[in-house]
């Protein structure tokens, strides 16, 4: 179980991973020493996997296309899905791989420069794999919300009075 | 036309907050730390529930005491999270904010001339409502050296035999002080010995950052003596909806319900619907807000201490209450000069009673960017005067 202190540290860190150890210490009430050791441990244990940045590519007009590809695979004797999923993991075009319930077995999130790019990837790389039975590709047309952040729509600006009891 | 007004109404003091409000309203680029409400909008699940109820045409009066589903859910919630047991049919009243509950309690209990003991400084409504009900207000000073926890010795000094109600308000607005079980026990003993009814306003109870909040009514023999007042404004970020509640002995609640029936009818139905949804599924949104407040709280305390101001660590609500007397200014002067010079609005401690002198109340219900900028400006202001 995560302690209240560690939960606090993870929360503050996940709000802004650029904070220095000193700043983290102020905002969590934990000592710099503790924080340094804890973060090192988490990095080593791959609890903290990466310090990343969430980019809104639409703003950059550096458009890219994302597709969700549902894949039905032919079960491999004695291997379950892990083997094939691990094979998919290796493709740099594939950003996420999930084992799913429902009609398909795996869901892949694939990124490319344009639709043609992704179509090519599916026909050249994926479909020829002997374990694949069928695929169904759906393109994402617009990203409204990702990682808990709203990308479109009006920002809420609650109007508060300047001073209230 | 003043001659037409009731002397009682005229005796109400103008709010110390008003002056700053008017002044700040004329300025631009003001960062305000003067607000006593969350910066979050109400969690979406609750707004959604209210929108849906409007679509369904739920726009009528509810029963005087409030939607029975809400009272039942609240009784369950209070039992599970606070160890409080109230019968939802008879011992809970849904009110128009905790504000109305405070007013009802005073009106139901006070005979003209009865004394009401109020910790000083604290939220402005207690003295106002007590006065309107014809009570005599007895302030009980609380002090920075005790982290603004109420001491039984001070209570003893302020007490006179006509006192009937003791107001407790922890976590406290404006100080952010909390009272632990150990702190409360001698107060409970005092209440028993002097036959006081305790109006315990615990609206900030969920915003407690160290240990668990102790509801006053859970202390030995205090259940019948306590009116447990709370509401959804703070922890669920629902200030504008106007919904709160009071729970206590059936005799008290029934009489308060009668007053409420004549003066208010019922709390707004959409607010009750949203509150019900909050109890059912708002817990995680609430937790997240609490995490965020906690981080800002530490940021603020550190900021003030680095400026060279004494600042005790507030363990509840969303206020810090640094001591500013080292600057040579009174609370009022500090707040006014700070606003004019650096465009930061804070509330002078004296707005919450005479015991607030020497302090200012800063709310941290703001984004970290705003808080850091405000601290920056205040640092400049304070450094010039040390
Ligand atoms: C201690 C305290 N009690 C009650 C209230 C009023 O709450 P409500 O919005 O439920 O009327 C406030 C609001 O500032 C408060 O600080």
């Amino acid at each position: 179980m995560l302690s209240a202190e560690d939960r606090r540290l993870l929360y503050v860190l996940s709000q802004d991973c650029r904070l220095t150890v000193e700043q983290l210490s102020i905002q969590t009430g934990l000592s710099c020493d503790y924080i340094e050791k804890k973060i090192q441990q988490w990095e080593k244990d791959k609890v903290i996997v990466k310090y990343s940045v969430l980019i809104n590519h639409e703003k950059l007009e550096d458009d890219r296309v994302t597709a969700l590809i549902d894949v039905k695979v032919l079960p491999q004797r004695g291997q379950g899905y892990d083997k094939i999923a691990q094979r998919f993991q290796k493709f740099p075009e594939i950003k996420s791989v999930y084992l799913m319930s429902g009609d398909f077995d795996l869901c892949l999130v694939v990124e490319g420069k344009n639709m043609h790019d992704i179509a090519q990837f599916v026909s050249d790389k994926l479909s020829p794999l002997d374990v694949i039975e069928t695929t169904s590709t759906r393109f994402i047309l617009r990203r409204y919300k990702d990682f808990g952040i709203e990308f479109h729509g009006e920002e809420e600006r609650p109007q508060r009075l300047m001073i209230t009891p | 036309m003043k001659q037409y007004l009731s002397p009682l109404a005229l005796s109400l003091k103008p709010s110390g907050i008003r002056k700053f409000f008017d002044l700040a309203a004329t300025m631009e680029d003001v960062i305000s730390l003067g607000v006593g409400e969350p910066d979050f909008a109400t969690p979406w699940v609750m707004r959604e529930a209210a929108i849906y109820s409007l679509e369904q045409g739920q726009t009528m009066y509810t029963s005087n005491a409030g939607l029975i589903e809400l009272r039942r859910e609240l009784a369950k919630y209070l039992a599970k999270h606070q160890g409080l047991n109230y019968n939802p049919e008879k011992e809970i009243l849904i009110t128009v904010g905790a504000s109305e509950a405070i007013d009802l309690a005073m009106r139901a209990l006070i005979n003209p001339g009865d004394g009401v003991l109020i910790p000083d400084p604290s939220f402005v409504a207690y003295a106002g409502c007590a006065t309107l009900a014809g009570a005599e207000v007895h302030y009980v000073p609380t002090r920075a050296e005790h982290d603004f926890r109420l001491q039984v010795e001070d209570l003893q000094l302020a007490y006179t035999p006509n006192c009937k109600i003791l107001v407790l308000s922890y976590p406290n607005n404006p100080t952010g002080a909390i009272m632990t079980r150990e702190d409360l026990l001698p107060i409970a003993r005092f209440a028993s010995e002097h036959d006081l009814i305790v109006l315990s306003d615990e609206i900030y109870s969920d915003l407690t950052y160290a240990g668990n909040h102790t509801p006053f009514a859970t202390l030995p023999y205090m259940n019948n003596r306590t009116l447990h007042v709370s509401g959804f404004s703070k922890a669920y970020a629902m200030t504008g909806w106007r919904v709160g509640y009071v729970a206590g002995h059936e005799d008290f609640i029934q009489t308060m319900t009668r007053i409420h029936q004549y003066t208010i009818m019922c709390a707004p139905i959409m607010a009750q619907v949203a509150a019900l949804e909050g109890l059912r599924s708002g817990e995680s949104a609430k937790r997240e807000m609490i995490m965020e407040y906690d981080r800002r709280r530490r940021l603020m305390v550190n900021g003030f201490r680095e400026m060279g101001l004494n600042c005790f660590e507030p363990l509840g609500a969303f206020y810090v209450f640094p001591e500013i007397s080292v600057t040579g200014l009174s609370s009022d002067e500090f707040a006014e000069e700070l606003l004019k010079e650096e465009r930061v609005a804070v509330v002078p401690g004296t707005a919450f009673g005479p015991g607030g002198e020497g302090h200012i109340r800063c709310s941290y219900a703001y984004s970290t960017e705003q808080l850091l900028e405000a601290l920056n400006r205040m640092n400049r202001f304070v450094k010039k005067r040390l």
Side-chain angles (χ1 to χ4, degrees):
Chain A
M1 258 289 278
L2 208 53
S3 69
E5 287 75 22
D6 291 348
R7 196 182 299 278
R8 206 151 72 216
L9 178 55
L10 278 181
Y11 170 78
V12 176
L13 200 56
S14 64
Q15 294 304 301
D16 185 355
C17 65
R18 293 170 309 169
L19 295 177
T20 63
V21 172
E22 286 73 26
Q23 288 167 321
L24 286 170
S25 163
I26 290 168
Q27 296 190 24
T28 58
L30 303 169
S31 74
C32 290
D33 218 37
Y34 179 85
I35 292 174
E36 245 161 21
K37 287 213 181 83
K38 197 78 210 181
I39 288 181
Q40 268 174 19
Q41 187 66 42
W42 277 335
E43 288 170 351
K44 191 163 150 265
D45 296 345
K46 299 279 184 215
V47 171
I48 294 177
V49 183
K50 184 178 172 166
Y51 298 91
S52 184
V53 53
L54 186 56
I55 296 170
N56 187 352
H57 287 283
E58 246 174 73
K59 290 262 190 226
L60 296 172
E61 290 171 13
D62 152 31
D63 278 351
R64 54 184 66 201
V65 177
T66 308
L68 300 180
I69 305 179
D70 292 320
V71 182
K72 199 167 199 158
V73 297
L74 296 165
Q76 304 293 97
R77 186 179 297 276
Q79 293 186 342
Y81 292 105
D82 287 356
K83 196 94 184 174
I84 178 70
Q86 279 159 15
R87 194 156 157 203
F88 285 144
Q89 284 189 135
K90 297 290 175 203
F91 289 97
E93 295 88 343
I94 298 179
K95 301 300 173 190
S96 311
V97 181
Y98 305 109
L99 179 64
M100 309 295 285
S101 64
D103 291 344
F104 288 84
D105 302 314
L106 294 165
C107 178
L108 314 177
V109 178
V110 176
E111 238 176 54
K113 281 206 256 316
N114 48 46
M115 284 199 194
H116 176 75
D117 226 29
I118 291 183
Q120 190 121 31
F121 174 72
V122 175
S123 61
D124 289 3
K125 303 271 176 58
L126 281 189
S127 301
L129 292 176
D130 50 6
V131 293
I132 290 191
E133 191 181 328
T134 51
T135 63
S136 156
T137 301
R138 288 168 299 149
F139 288 98
I140 291 174
L141 301 181
R142 196 165 197 203
R143 177 163 75 154
Y144 286 97
K145 184 174 181 181
D146 222 346
F147 300 99
I149 305 290
E150 293 172 29
F151 282 82
H152 289 284
E154 266 170 57
E155 202 177 323
E156 287 182 10
R157 280 181 215 281
Q159 291 291 315
R160 283 192 297 176
L161 296 171
M162 192 101 73
I163 294 174
T164 55
Chain B
M1 301 300 274
K2 280 235 167 92
Q3 72 271 24
Y4 292 102
L5 290 164
S6 102
L8 196 57
L10 283 173
S11 76
L12 285 180
K13 289 194 210 67
S15 147
I17 285 176
R18 188 75 226 170
K19 190 169 90 187
F20 287 93
F21 184 79
D22 294 341
L23 188 61
T26 63
M27 296 181 170
E28 276 173 31
D29 187 33
V30 173
I31 299 187
S32 170
L33 305 186
V35 175
E37 63 182 324
D39 56 322
F40 303 105
T42 312
W44 180 251
V45 278
M46 300 165 71
R47 288 191 264 164
E48 214 277 333
I51 293 167
Y52 181 69
S53 78
L54 289 176
E55 285 175 352
Q56 296 293 301
Q58 281 200 56
T59 56
M60 318 298 185
Y61 291 131
T62 69
S63 77
N64 293 130
L67 292 169
I68 185 64
E69 298 91 324
L70 174 57
R71 282 180 281 146
R72 287 203 182 114
E73 197 67 35
L74 190 55
K76 258 199 278 179
Y77 181 89
L78 290 173
K80 179 169 168 209
H81 293 273
Q82 307 235 22
L84 291 164
N85 291 299
Y86 292 110
N87 177 346
E89 314 274 346
K90 296 177 185 155
E91 298 178 325
I92 296 179
L93 167 63
I94 306 298
T95 55
V96 178
S99 301
E100 193 214 345
I102 294 162
D103 182 40
L104 289 178
M106 298 293 182
R107 293 210 233 183
L109 290 164
I110 293 296
N111 284 309
D114 285 347
V116 175
L117 294 152
I118 302 176
D120 170 34
S122 54
F123 179 52
V124 294
Y126 311 125
C129 292
T131 304
L132 277 176
E136 210 174 77
V137 170
H138 298 240
Y139 284 115
V140 190
T142 59
R143 303 162 212 282
E145 73 216 61
H146 302 127
D147 287 358
F148 290 100
R149 294 171 195 216
L150 181 64
Q151 307 292 305
V152 78
E153 297 75 27
D154 290 315
L155 194 50
Q156 183 73 62
L157 286 174
Y159 175 83
T160 55
N162 67 332
C163 287
K164 183 172 194 180
I165 296 182
L166 165 62
V167 174
L168 291 180
S169 184
Y170 299 93
N172 183 270
N173 172 14
T175 63
I178 61 165
M179 299 265 289
T180 63
R181 189 181 162 81
E182 286 63 43
D183 297 327
L184 289 170
L185 280 171
I187 307 292
R189 223 167 295 129
F190 186 91
S192 281
E193 281 162 18
H194 297 84
D195 198 19
L196 294 169
I197 297 303
V198 176
L199 193 174
S200 190
D201 176 354
E202 301 179 23
I203 195 166
Y204 291 102
S205 61
D206 284 336
L207 307 181
T208 297
Y209 307 105
N212 287 327
H213 172 76
T214 302
F216 192 76
T218 59
L219 297 178
Y221 309 111
M222 287 302 115
N223 195 32
N224 280 347
R225 238 174 231 297
T226 305
L227 278 169
H228 179 85
V229 169
S230 189
F232 296 86
S233 286
K234 313 293 175 175
Y236 292 93
M238 283 189 78
T239 46
W241 299 76
R242 311 310 301 129
V243 58
Y245 57 90
V246 52
H249 190 280
E250 177 181 352
D251 291 349
F252 292 164
I253 297 301
Q254 291 314 310
T255 300
M256 289 169 71
T257 304
R258 205 156 321 129
I259 304 173
H260 170 83
Q261 168 191 334
Y262 288 126
T263 53
I264 298 284
M265 296 279 287
C266 67
I269 184 167
M270 56 273 193
Q272 295 191 51
V273 169
L276 176 58
E277 187 61 31
L279 292 173
R280 285 185 176 150
S281 57
E283 197 61 23
S284 71
K286 191 168 78 181
R287 290 282 136 218
E288 197 156 312
M289 292 191 273
I290 294 170
M291 289 280 247
E292 183 60 28
Y293 287 137
D294 188 22
R295 139 191 203 209
R296 300 173 186 177
R297 176 181 75 93
R298 294 169 197 277
L299 191 70
M300 292 298 280
V301 171
N302 181 267
F304 285 119
R305 287 182 181 166
E306 292 212 318
M307 273 174 222
L309 298 181
N310 280 331
C311 183
F312 96 99
E313 187 183 358
L315 295 176
F318 38 58
Y319 310 103
V320 276
F321 203 59
E323 190 179 331
I324 49 82
S325 34
V326 280
T327 59
L329 301 172
S330 71
S331 304
D332 250 40
E333 291 163 347
F334 186 97
E336 194 166 334
E337 287 183 27
L338 177 66
L339 180 59
K340 287 184 177 152
E341 211 174 297
E342 292 288 352
R343 317 246 142 173
V344 176
V346 299
V347 184
T350 43
F352 303 92
E357 185 52 84
H359 294 262
I360 52 167
R361 186 194 76 174
C362 302
S363 161
Y364 49 84
Y366 295 88
S367 71
T368 30
E369 291 74 30
Q370 282 170 306
L371 293 177
L372 287 169
E373 174 58 21
L375 284 171
N376 226 347
R377 295 185 190 187
M378 290 171 88
N379 185 39
R380 209 157 45 205
F381 179 87
V382 168
K383 285 279 150 67
K384 276 190 224 158
R385 288 165 175 81
L386 286 188

